[in-house]
């Protein structure tokens, strides 16, 4: 059961082979056994989870279940979850029990999914290794010395170690795709605006987007079906007709044009990752795709531009508590705002403080034009690079990360090295495009390698289709770590 797909789990639940309570217990027991070593969860609340499972079982018995009814899902601790501790990996929120649900959480509840727990993450989603969490680092289930990636490292470790069938994450500069790559999962960062950010604690509002992390593209499609949708409470949410992301998964790939940006295969890419990505692209050719060379000339400026824009937006959120659109400032949550402001001075960890400093600096008088406006200009150029590239191809492919999972402590003291681990993911956020990572091989120490697929705006269905077809002829996504 722990390796079953969401479809198989749903069939077992509706077929009466097992109940949601049994399934939830199974995962709670694994969490009890394995989480002390992995530290993937910040909060587990068996009572609340089992109560939800009982409700799901009743719904299934009445024949009123949907594809996710009764299935336990772990949520990144960035999503406000009513009645659950919601910390965002920070000491600041270490006693914040959310009085309301994020829209994403609400959608999962409506679908009848069971909240399995809240997963560990870098503080306020700032990090690439999960080492900035106030609750301690997460271990990569594939190798105890390695990081799981970040900031959604807890979600990635939880699914990779089979402590949860699926999980949610958020991605501001790579935080779904990078941990998915380092832990051997499939993870999707949707087009900006496709999934509501209401109740999702802000890092950088113009970049943040929530998405699924799971064992396969098919599972991600089923999760995205529940997560996506217009929300009037998020002013950047887009009103579009609903799509069934699972519908076209099996479409053949004949004639698909895959763009290979030369900047993705240049200096800095480790040979083991390059080898696995090349092999994956060869597999796509076998599936009928054709490859074309494309270029993203401004991509080398993505990391510097991001590390101006993201801290600028974050410092606005954090120092002025400008979180109105997430519901934080709504009058009924005034005490959260008070608590947050009072504990601010001593509450943030070193990385968050660094970001606030950078952000305040680049927004200050005299530096605003030189840094912030310049970064915004670069952002536009990067978006234009993608527009040009998508004239030549349907999807872009390349590595998700320059190396496989690095060791705990390796980059923690060197912010620039840490920031560079997002070199292939960040441009996608700056452009607002969708990006997906799927496992495509094993590199050094047998650690997973991620293939990144970048699509044009709202091409999630096509990206998931491409990932799914690959997963039908390969088995990288079926491998799991021995614990
Ligand atoms: N690693 C990047 C950062 O630290 C991206 C994080 C994210 O996507 N939330 O900002």
């Amino acid at each position: 059961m722990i390796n079953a797909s969401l479809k198989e789990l749903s069939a077992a639940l509706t077929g009466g082979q097992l109940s949601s309570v049994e399934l939830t217990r199974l995962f709670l027991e694994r969490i009890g056994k394995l989480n002390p070593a992995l530290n993937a969860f910040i909060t587990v609340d068996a009572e609340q989870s089992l109560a939800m499972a009982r409700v799901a079982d009743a719904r299934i018995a009445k024949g009123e279940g949907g594809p996710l009814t009764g299935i336990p899902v772990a949520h990144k601790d960035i999503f406000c979850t009513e009645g659950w501790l919601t910390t965002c990996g920070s000491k600041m929120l270490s006693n914040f029990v959310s009085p309301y649900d994020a829209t994403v959480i609400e959608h999962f509840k409506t679908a009848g999914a069971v909240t399995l727990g809240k997963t560990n993450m870098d503080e306020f989603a700032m990090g690439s290794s999960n080492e900035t969490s106030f609750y301690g680092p997460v271990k990569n289930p594939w190798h105890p010395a390695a990081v799981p990636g970040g900031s959604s490292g807890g979600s990635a470790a939880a699914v990779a170690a089979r402590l949860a069938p699926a999980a949610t994450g958020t991605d501001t500069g790579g935080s779904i795709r990078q941990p998915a790559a380092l832990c051997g999962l499939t993870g999707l960062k949707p087009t900006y605006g496709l999934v509501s950010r209401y109740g999702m604690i802000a890092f950088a509002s113009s970049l943040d987007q929530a998405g699924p992390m799971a064992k396969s593209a098919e599972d991600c499609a089923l999760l995205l079906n529940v997560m996506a949708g217009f929300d009037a409470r998020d002013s950047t949410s887009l009103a579009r007709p609903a799509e069934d992301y699972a519908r076209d998964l099996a479409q053949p790939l004949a004639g698909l044009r895959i763009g290979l940006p030369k900047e993705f295969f240049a200096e800095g890419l480790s040979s083991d990752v390059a080898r696995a990505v090349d092999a994956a692209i060869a597999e796509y050719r076998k599936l009928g795709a054709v490859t074309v060379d494309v270029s993203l000339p401004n991509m080398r400026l993505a990391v510097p531009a991001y590390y101006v824009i993201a801290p600028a937006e974050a410092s606005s959120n954090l120092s002025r508590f400008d979180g109105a659109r997430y519901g934080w400032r709504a009058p009924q949550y005034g005490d959260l705002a008070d608590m947050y402001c009072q504990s601010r001075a001593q509450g943030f960890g070193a990385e968050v403080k660094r970001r606030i400093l950078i952000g305040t600096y680049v927004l200050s008088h005299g530096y605003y034009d030189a840094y912030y406006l310049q970064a915004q200009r670069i952002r536009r150029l990067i978006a234009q690079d993608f527009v040009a590239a998508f004239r030549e191809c349907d999807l872009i492919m390349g590595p998700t990360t320059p190396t496989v999972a690095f060791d705990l402590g390796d980059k923690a003291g060197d912010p620039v090295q840490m920031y560079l681990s997002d070199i292939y993911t960040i441009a996608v956020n700056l452009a607002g495009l969708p990006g997906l990572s799927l496992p495509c091989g094993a590199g050094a120490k047998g650690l997973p390698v991620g293939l990144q697929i970048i699509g044009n705006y709202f091409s999630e269905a096509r990206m998931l289709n491409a990932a799914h077809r690959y997963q039908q002829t390969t088995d990288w996504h079926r491998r799991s770590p021995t614990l």
Side-chain angles (χ1 to χ4, degrees):
M1 271 305 152
I2 59 169
N3 289 310
S5 71
L6 296 187
K7 224 171 161 176
E8 289 164 346
L9 288 179
S10 180
L13 289 168
T14 46
Q17 281 101 296
L18 94 165
S19 67
S20 174
V21 166
E22 287 165 332
L23 186 63
T24 304
R25 279 224 172 89
L26 171 78
F27 283 103
L28 287 171
E29 273 161 29
R30 281 186 70 78
I31 295 170
K33 219 165 47 195
L34 297 167
N35 194 58
L38 291 170
N39 200 24
F41 284 85
I42 294 175
T43 304
V44 184
D45 184 334
E47 232 167 83
Q48 289 206 64
S49 298
L50 291 169
M52 290 174 89
R54 278 190 287 272
V55 173
D57 280 331
R59 198 167 144 183
I60 293 166
K62 277 194 280 176
E64 288 167 6
L68 293 192
T69 308
I71 294 180
V73 178
H75 294 297
K76 186 176 183 178
D77 210 17
I78 198 168
F79 292 101
C80 286
T81 311
E82 190 182 340
W84 289 71
L85 187 68
T86 298
T87 70
C88 214
S90 183
K91 178 185 172 192
M92 302 278 292
L93 297 173
S94 55
N95 58 0
F96 173 55
V97 176
S98 177
Y100 73 111
D101 278 325
T103 299
V104 163
I105 301 290
E106 208 175 82
H107 283 330
F108 276 106
K109 275 192 180 169
T110 307
V114 171
T115 303
L116 187 59
K118 304 295 294 292
T119 60
N120 205 344
M121 54 178 287
D122 280 297
E123 184 177 11
F124 285 101
M126 296 171 188
S128 308
S129 67
N130 233 283
E131 289 165 289
T132 75
S133 170
F134 175 68
Y135 304 90
V138 178
K139 303 281 166 61
N140 188 320
W142 291 85
H143 198 287
V147 301
S151 63
S152 314
S155 287
V159 179
R162 308 299 190 242
L163 305 188
T168 53
T170 64
D171 190 314
T172 303
S175 282
I176 288 175
R177 290 160 288 157
Q178 188 253 19
L182 303 194
C183 289
L185 301 182
T186 308
L188 170 67
K189 178 245 172 237
T191 305
Y192 184 76
L194 192 69
V195 176
S196 169
R197 294 176 302 114
Y198 178 80
M200 188 178 112
I201 297 166
F203 166 5
S205 310
S206 77
L207 300 159
D208 299 339
Q209 186 61 193
M213 301 176 79
K215 297 190 290 286
S216 69
E218 181 189 73
D219 286 1
C220 283
L222 294 171
L223 295 160
L224 186 62
N225 276 349
V226 164
M227 294 176 81
F230 174 70
D231 181 5
R233 293 172 298 185
D234 172 359
S235 62
T236 60
S237 167
L238 294 159
R240 313 189 78 243
E243 241 183 280
D244 177 0
Y245 296 100
R247 200 191 60 197
D248 295 330
L249 288 173
Q251 288 295 313
L253 301 185
L256 178 79
R257 293 171 307 159
I258 297 173
L260 304 174
K262 62 170 185 283
E263 294 80 5
F264 275 41
F265 299 88
E267 196 193 341
L269 180 60
S270 66
S271 56
D272 54 343
V273 173
R275 217 172 303 123
V277 169
D278 286 346
I281 288 160
E283 184 65 33
Y284 272 102
R285 289 198 194 96
K286 275 200 241 157
L287 288 166
V290 293
T291 55
V292 289
D293 293 331
V294 296
S295 176
L296 302 168
N298 294 291
M299 209 197 78
R300 66 193 172 86
L301 301 172
V303 168
Y306 170 92
Y307 280 98
V308 169
I309 293 168
E313 291 183 13
S315 69
S316 305
N317 288 331
L318 296 173
S319 57
R320 287 191 282 114
F321 201 71
D322 188 13
R325 88 173 50 137
Y326 304 94
W328 280 32
R329 242 204 191 146
Q332 65 268 42
Y333 312 128
D335 33 13
L336 169 61
D338 286 351
M339 181 189 85
Y340 194 88
C341 293
Q342 278 159 21
S343 60
R344 193 169 69 221
Q346 74 281 2
F348 288 125
E351 183 59 27
V352 177
K353 283 185 186 151
R354 179 180 298 128
R355 305 284 178 111
I356 292 175
L357 269 173
I358 299 172
T360 309
Y361 180 83
V362 300
L363 288 176
S364 61
H365 183 71
Y367 298 103
Y368 183 87
D369 289 13
Y371 294 102
Y372 186 71
L373 281 187
Q374 192 68 358
Q376 294 291 15
R377 275 185 210 113
I378 293 167
R379 183 176 189 171
R380 193 168 53 240
L381 293 176
I382 288 169
Q384 286 165 356
D385 283 355
F386 279 110
V387 170
F390 282 123
R391 280 192 206 111
E392 317 289 320
C393 64
D394 305 305
L395 297 174
I396 289 172
M397 290 193 194
T400 307
T401 59
T403 67
V404 295
F406 46 92
D407 280 356
L408 276 153
D410 257 15
K411 302 189 182 188
D414 188 342
V416 173
Q417 276 314 307
M418 188 69 87
Y419 299 167
L420 282 172
S421 67
D422 302 320
I423 187 156
Y424 304 127
T425 51
I426 271 176
V428 170
N429 301 76
L430 289 171
L433 291 165
L436 179 151
S437 181
L438 71 159
C440 74
K445 298 183 199 155
L447 288 164
V449 175
L451 173 75
Q452 185 174 207
I453 303 181
I454 302 169
N456 214 332
Y457 300 103
F458 305 111
S459 65
E460 284 82 1
R462 192 163 215 184
M463 297 158 67
L464 289 162
N465 161 226
H468 178 72
R469 289 302 297 227
Y470 176 85
Q471 291 180 336
Q472 286 190 307
T473 58
T474 59
D475 71 349
W476 295 110
H477 67 292
R478 278 203 189 88
R479 305 196 183 186
S480 60
T482 40
L483 289 160

